[in-house]
């Protein structure tokens, strides 16, 4: 009996199951292959109704969270100072008008100049006419030049009334002055407000591990300031060949601040550079003429009378020697200069101030230039691909481009053949003792020593002592 009962119950159960399966067969068919386990075979997606609904929901949520809700939220915020450069007209729900009280102050709109933009582009972009632009230019007075030459990144603030009437324009006349033009009075007016420019002295100390730029970066100097530092010591230190790990620098310099915000780098006030144990210094000093220059501790100009190397070279392909095998002639011959290999077209600089004594073709040298400097010294430059614009007899200053690297004459590759001649005899340009620049005149030298060197040297020494103290006090983690 019990068995019969059980059999009947089982049959009933199966019947219910079957019925349910029949009723929901379309569901089972559709989802029977769904699994929580990853299938090796990826089923192609069939877009049934359910999936359309799901996708629709997902899109609605995306739209709500990404677009409609932020728009609504920003509309509810109190009116911010409009710094937007373009205004998109959006069909927003009327909710937007609930808040946003009329701004009490003038509602200037800032427009930043994009590369390639002209002032008329900016005006038309704001819905303004050329007549408006002309009115501004006519009213600009001393600030007119700033309107004629605009640069990417500069900002123009527009004050617009209702119906796109231009009420005012505000912009930088130059680094230190701001111009405001108002067109909403009886007469157009321009007012110039000087900006608050000030210098703030900074100090930095760096130790070279990989490169000068890396050390500068670590010391908090920007690339431009590292460039200025390298420029000061380039006469004494060859930053390509002479730099060693452990070399260090200490520098006191100015940063320029405008209206309390850092605006750029100023000048180096004092600096010392220690290269392979040798100490070099540079101090800024106002000369008798009113110009500033940099001088070493003993009062000689940092800028030497001669550049040791007059070209930005890639390698020295041949040094000065009394006998070498000539690469083209195949003969033993003296090489009375240094060959600096560099790509064709690399600029060649005058090693010092002087006069062009020779410019033309010279056997073996190809295109050749000789500069006569003061006294008995002359320098010579060979194998140029072309000359600079200076004529024969013309005065040139140190660093001026007098020609370009090439391989004219007897040369196997592009390089500069450089000679340093004393009384017409070639000397080794790499080792010859270069004449020292003139000391400051006595009266100036005294002023330089007492007013510049004494106080700044004390500061540099104190800085170095502080850094050394910090090093000895710090846990020994920098002994690598
Ligand atoms: Zn040579």
């Amino acid at each position: 009996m019990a068995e019969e009962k059980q059999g009947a119950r089982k049959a009933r159960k199966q019947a219910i199951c079957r019925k349910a399966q029949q009723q929901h067969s379309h569901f089972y068919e559709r989802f029977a292959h769904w699994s929580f386990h990853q299938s090796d075979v990826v089923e192609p997606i069939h877009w049934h109704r359910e999936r359309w609904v799901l996708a629709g929901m997902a899109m609605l949520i995306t739209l709500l969270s990404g677009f409609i809700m932020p728009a609504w939220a920003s509309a509810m915020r109190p009116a911010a100072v409009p710094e937007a450069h373009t205004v998109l007209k959006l069909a927003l729900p009327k909710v937007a008008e609930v808040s946003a009280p009329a701004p009490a102050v003038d509602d200037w709109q800032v427009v930043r100049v994009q590369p390639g933009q002209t002032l008329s582009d900016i005006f038309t972009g704001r819905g303004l006419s050329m007549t408006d632009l002309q009115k501004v230019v006519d009213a600009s007075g001393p600030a007119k030049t700033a309107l004629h030459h605009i640069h990417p990144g500069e900002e123009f603030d527009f004050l617009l009334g209702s119906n796109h009437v231009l009420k005012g324009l505000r912009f930088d006349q130059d680094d230190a002055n701001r111009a405001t033009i108002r067109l909403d009075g009886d007469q157009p007016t321009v007012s110039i407000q000087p900006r608050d420019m000030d210098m703030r002295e900074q100090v930095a100390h760096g130790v070279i591990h990989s490169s000068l730029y890396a050390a500068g970066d670590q010391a908090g100097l920007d690339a431009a300031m590292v460039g200025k530092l390298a420029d000061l010591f380039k006469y004494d230190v060859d930053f390509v060949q002479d730099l060693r790990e452990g070399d260090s620098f200490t520098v006191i310099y100015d940063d320029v601040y405008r209206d309390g915000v850092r605006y750029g780098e100023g000048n180096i006030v004092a600096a010392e550079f220690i290269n392979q144990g040798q100490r070099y210094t540079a101090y800024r000093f106002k000369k008798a003429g009113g110009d500033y220059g940099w001088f070493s501790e003993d009062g000689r100009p940092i800028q030497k009378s001669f550049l040791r190397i007059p070209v930005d070279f890639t390698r020295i392909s041949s040094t000065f020697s009394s006998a070498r095998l000539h690469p083209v002639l195949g003969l033993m011959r003296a090489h009375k200069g240094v060959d600096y290999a560099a790509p064709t077209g690399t600029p060649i600089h005058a090693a010092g101030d002087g006069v062009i004594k020779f410019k033309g073709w010279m056997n073996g040298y190809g295109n050749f230039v000789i500069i006569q400097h003061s006294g008995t010294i002359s320098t010579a430059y060979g194998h140029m691909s072309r000359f600079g614009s200076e004529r024969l007899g013309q005065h040139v200053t140190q660093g001026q481009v007098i020609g370009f690297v090439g391989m004219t004459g007897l040369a196997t590759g592009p390089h500069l053949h450089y000679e340093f001649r004393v009384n017409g005899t070639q000397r080794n340009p790499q080792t010859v003792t270069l004449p020292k620049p003139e000391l400051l005149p006595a009266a100036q030298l005294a002023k330089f020593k007492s007013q510049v060197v004494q106080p700044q040297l004390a500061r540099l020494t104190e800085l170095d002592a502080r850094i050394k103290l910090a090093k000895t006090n710090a846990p020994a983690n920098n002994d690598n």
Side-chain angles (χ1 to χ4, degrees), residues 146-166:
L147 294 176
H148 282 308
H149 303 284
I150 69 167
H151 304 100
E154 284 177 357
E155 287 181 341
F156 286 86
D157 304 352
F158 286 83
L159 183 62
L160 298 174
S162 52
N163 301 326
H164 262 72
V165 174
L166 181 63

Side-chain angles (χ1 to χ4, degrees), residues 324 335 339 383 415 417:
R324 69 150 188 181
H335 185 240
D339 289 350
H383 309 310
H415 72 274
H417 170 92

Side-chain angles (χ1 to χ4, degrees), residues 339-418:
D339 289 350
Y340 295 106
T344 298
T346 305
I348 298 164
H349 306 275
D353 295 356
V355 170
I356 306 270
K357 196 175 112 188
F358 182 91
K359 177 183 175 176
W361 186 270
M362 177 89 84
N363 272 342
Y365 288 111
N367 288 327
F368 192 53
V369 166
I370 300 174
I371 299 174
Q372 181 66 52
H373 306 280
S374 62
T376 55
I377 297 167
S378 59
T379 52
Y381 312 77
H383 309 310
M384 291 180 175
S385 55
R386 58 195 176 90
F387 298 107
S389 53
E390 302 72 25
R391 289 178 313 275
L392 195 68
Q394 198 176 323
H395 185 85
V396 289
T397 55
Q398 187 183 80
Q400 200 173 324
V401 176
I402 51 161
F404 302 88
V405 171
M407 48 183 294
T408 52
L410 290 176
T412 50
H415 72 274
L416 166 69
H417 170 92
Y418 176 58

Side-chain angles (χ1 to χ4, degrees), residues 88-397:
L88 288 173
K89 290 221 164 119
L90 295 175
L92 286 177
K94 288 288 170 194
V95 186
E97 288 175 51
V98 175
S99 59
V105 289
D106 282 339
D107 188 9
W108 293 90
Q109 295 179 17
V110 181
V111 180
R112 180 165 292 179
V113 180
Q114 302 300 316
Q117 260 189 335
T118 64
L119 200 53
S120 43
D121 292 340
I122 293 168
F123 269 64
T124 46
R126 311 303 298 170
L128 296 167
S129 68
M130 289 304 101
T131 319
D132 291 318
L133 177 56
Q134 194 55 52
K135 270 191 223 163
V136 165
V137 172
D138 290 345
S140 59
K144 194 170 278 177
T145 336
L147 294 176
H148 282 308
H149 303 284
I150 69 167
H151 304 100
E154 284 177 357
E155 287 181 341
F156 286 86
D157 304 352
F158 286 83
L159 183 62
L160 298 174
S162 52
N163 301 326
H164 262 72
V165 174
L166 181 63
K167 292 165 74 178
L169 184 71
R170 209 162 58 180
F171 55 94
D172 287 336
Q173 183 193 342
D174 49 46
D175 284 353
N177 293 288
R178 195 143 169 79
T180 306
I181 292 168
R182 295 298 293 233
L183 300 171
D184 51 351
D186 297 338
Q187 290 288 320
T189 58
V190 60
S191 56
I192 311 291
Q193 299 94 28
R195 312 279 295 247
D196 182 18
M197 305 288 282
D198 64 312
M199 300 284 186
R200 299 191 192 172
E201 221 168 64
Q202 314 279 352
V203 292
H205 174 86
V207 180
I208 285 114
H209 294 295
S210 56
S211 75
L212 179 63
Y213 279 89
D217 188 47
Q218 207 161 25
L221 300 177
D222 62 16
M225 187 50 76
V226 176
K228 286 187 172 185
L229 186 69
D231 255 0
L232 274 190
F233 294 108
K234 70 177 177 195
Y235 296 94
D236 296 303
V237 180
D238 176 352
F239 286 103
V240 178
Q241 304 208 18
D242 295 345
L243 219 53
R244 295 288 180 275
E245 183 166 357
D247 283 357
S248 64
F249 60 82
T250 307
V251 54
I252 302 172
Y253 65 100
D254 282 330
D255 262 349
V256 183
Y257 277 72
R258 190 172 76 175
D259 294 340
V261 178
R262 188 181 181 274
Y263 185 67
E265 77 287 335
N267 283 306
I268 290 176
V269 177
E272 70 176 7
F273 199 98
I274 294 166
N275 173 233
Q276 303 186 39
Q278 182 82 37
R279 179 171 170 271
Y280 301 97
T281 52
Y283 298 89
R284 189 164 181 257
F285 177 62
K286 196 176 188 175
K287 294 183 280 188
D291 292 343
Y292 281 93
W294 281 267
F295 298 83
S296 61
E297 224 149 80
D298 58 354
R300 285 184 202 281
I302 286 299
Q303 183 177 340
K304 301 290 185 279
S305 313
F306 289 92
L307 298 172
R308 179 71 74 175
I309 300 161
V311 69
D312 191 4
F313 69 104
T314 45
R315 70 192 174 87
I316 292 173
S317 49
S318 192
T319 53
F320 188 91
S321 77
S322 47
R324 69 150 188 181
L325 188 67
H326 194 278
V328 176
L329 301 174
L331 302 165
M332 289 305 280
R333 263 214 184 175
H335 185 240
K336 295 186 167 177
V338 176
D339 289 350
Y340 295 106
T344 298
T346 305
I348 298 164
H349 306 275
D353 295 356
V355 170
I356 306 270
K357 196 175 112 188
F358 182 91
K359 177 183 175 176
W361 186 270
M362 177 89 84
N363 272 342
Y365 288 111
N367 288 327
F368 192 53
V369 166
I370 300 174
I371 299 174
Q372 181 66 52
H373 306 280
S374 62
T376 55
I377 297 167
S378 59
T379 52
Y381 312 77
H383 309 310
M384 291 180 175
S385 55
R386 58 195 176 90
F387 298 107
S389 53
E390 302 72 25
R391 289 178 313 275
L392 195 68
Q394 198 176 323
H395 185 85
V396 289
T397 55

